[in-house]
Structures are given as C-alpha cells and as structure tokens.
Amino acid sequence: MELKHYLEQHDRIKEELSDLKILLAKQDLEQNAAELAFHISGLAGKLNIHLTSEDQYLYPFFFKGNDVNLVNKAHEYQNEMGNLLADFTVFKNTFNTKIKILSDRDRFINESNRIIQSIEQRMDKEEKDLYRLV
C-alpha cells in the first residue's frame, strides 16, 4: 500500500489548519471572521475527501492484512476517527459563517483551538504509529 497519497492529503489539511491558526492569532475576529469561515469550509472539504478515501480504501486494506497488530490498530484508529469527525462536524456547523463566529466569539476561539489540536494530534499519531506499520 502506497501511503504517499494520504500523506499529501495530510499536508493539505495541515495547510488549512495553519491558515486558521494564523488568523486566530491575529485576535481580530471582526475583520477575519469571513476568512475563518472560508477556511473552516475548506478544511471540511479536505477532511471529507481524506476520510472517505481512508474508509473506502486504506482501512479495508489494513483489515485484510495478516498483521494482527496492524488490523487491531486500524480498528482502533477508525473508531477514534468517527468521534473526531462527529466533533468536527458539530464545530463546522456551529461556526461556518461570519455571523455564527461573531455571535459567540469566546466559544469559537476555544472550540477552534481544541479542534485544531485534535486534528493535528490525530494526523501525527497516524503518521508516527499506524502508517509506519505498513
């Protein structure tokens, strides 16, 4: 299994996360809310493509393998990802427009930082643990 495609997707997701972090660091939500909403939508699209690809191709490949450790880790990661995806979906639906962001600024900042960290940790874990087993 060639993982280059998935690592490239991770890179594109990391770019969106970086853009979000830069905008959040400016601490001027009034001016940056529309661009933040744009990047949240972009991140949603990139995550959707990545997770669909993983679900349809990568994880089924892992599940068919003879390496019990890889099969077990793949099941563990897939279950964890379902929770992260659900969490991100709530975040996206709550803050995907300028008006929604500005209506609850403190919660937006807290939730943004939390979800960014969760996604970064997940990709790091995949790259350092699961992908290395292949």
Side-chain angles (χ1 to χ4, degrees), residues 23-132:
L23 290 168
L24 286 167
K26 292 181 179 180
Q27 299 180 358
D28 186 357
L29 285 182
E30 190 71 41
Q31 185 168 344
N32 295 313
E35 192 172 355
L36 283 158
F38 173 79
H39 286 290
I40 290 168
S41 295
L43 178 59
K46 288 172 177 66
L47 281 174
N48 185 42
I49 290 168
H50 179 67
L51 297 175
T52 299
S53 181
E54 281 187 341
D55 285 347
Q56 290 181 353
Y57 304 107
L58 184 62
Y59 283 91
F61 172 80
F62 290 158
F63 297 150
K64 292 177 186 175
N66 294 325
D67 183 341
V68 175
N69 188 34
L70 178 60
V71 171
N72 289 338
K73 282 221 183 266
H75 280 291
E76 175 188 328
Y77 277 57
Q78 191 174 49
N79 289 336
E80 287 176 6
M81 195 59 219
N83 295 333
L84 182 56
L85 179 60
D87 196 24
F88 176 77
T89 301
V90 169
F91 168 78
K92 175 194 61 114
N93 291 340
T94 305
F95 298 113
N96 61 351
T97 68
K98 177 180 180 175
I99 292 169
K100 291 178 181 180
I101 290 170
L102 295 177
S103 70
D104 197 349
R105 297 165 191 240
D106 291 338
R107 182 172 169 226
F108 170 73
I109 292 168
N110 291 333
E111 290 295 307
S112 295
N113 290 324
R114 186 186 58 77
I115 202 75
I116 288 168
Q117 182 180 23
S118 295
I119 294 168
E120 287 176 333
Q121 287 175 346
R122 169 55 189 234
M123 289 187 302
D124 187 56
K125 189 175 173 183
E126 279 184 337
E127 291 174 11
K128 290 181 178 175
D129 188 22
L130 185 64
Y131 289 2
R132 291 190 188 270

